[in-house]
Amino acid sequence: MASFSLGRRKVLGYGAIGAAAAVLPSIASASEKILIGYWPIASGLPFYVALEKGYFKEVGLNVEGVKFANPSQVVEAMIAGRIQGSANGTASAALALGEIASPGLFQIVCSNPSNQKFVLDEFLVSIKSTAKSIRDLKGAKIACGPGIQNVTLTKIILEKNGLGDIQPIELPVGQHVAAIAAGQIDAVYTLEPTGTIGRVKGETRILETGVISKYVLGNADAPWFGGSASLVNTFIKARPADVKKYVQAYAKGVDFVRKNQEESRKSLDGFTAIDETIVKEVPLANFVMYNEFKPSDIDFFQKFFDVFTERKIFSKKVDVKSLIYKG
């Protein structure tokens, strides 16, 4: 996979900060700077667009994206007060665990539902695999992304396909295609742009998409609110005027993605592992701002969280509605 080139970082100016743990203490001291953590996957697109298009600067804000290796690290940094929020693509279940550990931690300003139409989640296999469905992966070595959300969801999908005896292997998303190509694993539950990268390279093929909606929520068309953009409550209370400006600029990023999908995809180059030669191939998740949630959306979001409560991953019920930003 292509990496985030130094040249592009210089062009961005506000750039994505690698090796976040090493640099956060020094940059967090700039009181007016707003640091937003992100996991480099396709569903973070509205945030990437808002940075590249200068929407935050337009409203007088100094916003930087801080890249993390997994969603749990984003949440840990939020709890520690090193960043002021998360971009879309940050696992909603990881955020919920942060809320349980630190009640009143954050509010959701935008979420990125996906399903069989708005593709984000998928199972990949080798291009040489004869499997026609997940059910055909009996005895296979199956991996998933790091973190409790990815592991739990993968286990549920496998169970629903009669493969409950398989323990998924946690691997960084950037290694998924290479691990299949090298024969280290047979299949992987992953997120875009991984499936697109593997397909274009001719090394993997998509076995099934929209697997969370289908197997976890029980409806292939149901919106799976797997990732969310958020702001910590301490920031919301301390700088309410800036928060309104931030949300306004973020919404402008969402609007641009909706109306200009082809152009917006260009922002994936630099923030994710996908390079500019194949950005046009990447499917996009849907995006719902805090003031656009319908009652049915809240119901499906709650059903997703309740799965984690039932599995004892959450020590108590997490109420989705109470976590939505009120404006």
Side-chain angles (χ1 to χ4, degrees), residues 61-182:
L61 298 180
N62 181 11
V63 177
E64 286 194 6
V66 184
K67 184 169 66 173
F68 289 86
N70 61 63
S72 297
Q73 290 181 2
V74 177
V75 178
E76 288 164 5
M78 288 168 61
I79 293 174
R82 300 198 302 269
I83 58 176
Q84 282 70 57
S86 67
N88 275 105
T90 304
S92 297
L95 287 166
L97 285 168
E99 178 68 17
I100 292 171
S102 182
L105 176 63
F106 69 92
Q107 292 180 30
I108 293 171
V109 298
C110 183
S111 195
N112 46 273
S114 58
N115 53 23
Q116 63 179 356
K117 178 182 178 182
F118 296 99
V119 177
L120 174 64
D121 52 306
E122 56 201 4
F123 252 75
L124 306 184
V125 292
S126 167
I127 195 71
K128 300 175 183 177
S129 173
T130 59
K132 295 180 179 180
S133 69
I134 294 173
R135 190 169 290 273
D136 295 330
L137 297 175
K138 186 175 182 180
K141 290 179 291 184
I142 297 175
C144 65
I148 191 64
Q149 174 165 309
N150 288 307
V151 173
T152 301
L153 294 176
T154 304
K155 286 181 177 179
I156 294 173
I157 294 167
L158 294 175
E159 288 170 9
K160 292 296 178 79
N161 282 277
L163 305 174
D165 58 328
I166 297 177
Q167 177 63 36
I169 304 162
E170 291 185 65
L171 286 177
V173 174
Q175 296 179 18
H176 287 179
V177 171
I180 289 178

Side-chain angles (χ1 to χ4, degrees), residues 130-322:
T130 59
K132 295 180 179 180
S133 69
I134 294 173
R135 190 169 290 273
D136 295 330
L137 297 175
K138 186 175 182 180
K141 290 179 291 184
I142 297 175
C144 65
I148 191 64
Q149 174 165 309
N150 288 307
V151 173
T152 301
L153 294 176
T154 304
K155 286 181 177 179
I156 294 173
I157 294 167
L158 294 175
E159 288 170 9
K160 292 296 178 79
N161 282 277
L163 305 174
D165 58 328
I166 297 177
Q167 177 63 36
I169 304 162
E170 291 185 65
L171 286 177
V173 174
Q175 296 179 18
H176 287 179
V177 171
I180 289 178
Q184 296 169 342
I185 57 174
D186 302 305
V188 64
Y189 162 68
T190 191
L191 305 174
E192 281 293 340
T194 309
T196 299
I197 293 170
R199 176 174 59 81
V200 172
K201 285 185 173 183
E203 295 176 339
T204 64
R205 65 177 174 86
I206 296 172
L207 186 62
E208 292 188 39
T209 62
V211 290
I212 305 305
S213 295
K214 182 177 180 180
Y215 296 113
V216 179
L217 299 180
N219 181 340
D221 294 315
W224 169 49
F225 292 91
S228 297
S230 68
L231 292 172
V232 296
N233 276 314
T234 51
F235 173 61
I236 292 173
K237 293 174 183 177
R239 296 168 62 180
D242 286 345
V243 166
K244 290 185 180 298
K245 293 177 182 178
Y246 178 89
V247 173
Q248 174 189 338
Y250 205 104
K252 192 171 181 179
V254 169
D255 187 61
F256 186 89
V257 172
R258 289 171 176 168
K259 295 177 179 177
N260 306 275
Q261 291 198 0
E262 185 172 349
E263 185 177 350
S264 67
R265 280 184 171 91
K266 296 176 183 177
S267 294
L268 293 174
D269 176 33
F271 287 96
T272 72
I274 188 168
D275 64 45
E276 60 186 352
T277 61
I278 55 175
V279 291
K280 64 181 180 180
E281 304 281 345
V282 180
L284 301 180
N286 195 11
F287 299 97
V288 177
M289 289 296 296
Y290 71 96
N291 55 356
E292 298 174 330
F293 277 93
K294 302 187 296 290
S296 60
D297 292 331
I298 297 295
D299 289 343
F300 276 116
F301 205 152
Q302 188 64 58
K303 184 175 181 179
F304 170 53
F305 273 8
D306 289 347
V307 167
F308 285 79
T309 306
E310 293 163 5
R311 298 218 158 211
K312 310 299 183 184
I313 305 299
F314 293 173
S315 59
K316 62 180 181 180
K317 183 181 178 71
V318 179
D319 179 51
V320 171
K321 192 173 183 179
S322 68

